[in-house]
Amino acid sequence: MTSPFQTLHHVCIVVHDLEKAETYYTSLGIGPWFDYPKSSPYVELMTPNPEASKVMRYRCCDFLNFQLQLCDPGSLDSPQRRFLDTHGEGVYHLGFEVDDLAGAKSQMTALGVGTIASGLREDGSGFAYFDTRDQAGTVLEVRRSSPPATS
């Protein structure tokens, strides 16, 4: 059995003040930053609080080998908001790219790992956050990116 946690895509850090965090990282020469690209709507979406998910804000920076994401979870109740309130700013999750999202989810379910949130788009892209904080020290996520646009 191959682990779905082979290809790191991103590290997500929750912060109190998105603009302040971005300004500091930029002062260190890290950037450019861009808004997380919200693409097509999800045909399946399971989150603890859909309204909180809608208002979360992300700023991203692409490095050569991974993406850094800064997340302002907003004030509504969400796992990210609870993490920020309990632990302060820090790494909320590690995101891994997978070719087979359904297979990765099935594999984790077979291992007895619960899903915190998941989403699937019509093109097969999507994500799943797993309930791994107590055992792994952080949330682990798998994601399948949208296929490149064809012209």
Side-chain angles (χ1 to χ4, degrees), residues 77-100:
D77 181 53
S78 68
Q80 293 88 336
R81 177 81 251 168
R82 289 190 299 271
F83 175 86
L84 186 59
D85 291 344
T86 304
H87 302 286
E89 296 178 317
V91 174
Y92 174 72
H93 75 267
L94 303 177
F96 294 85
E97 185 72 30
V98 295
D99 292 328
D100 180 4

Side-chain angles (χ1 to χ4, degrees), residues 124-140:
S125 65
F127 69 92
Y129 291 95
F130 299 111
D131 189 9
T132 55
R133 179 163 306 283
D134 290 343
Q135 294 78 19
T138 191
V139 170
L140 297 178

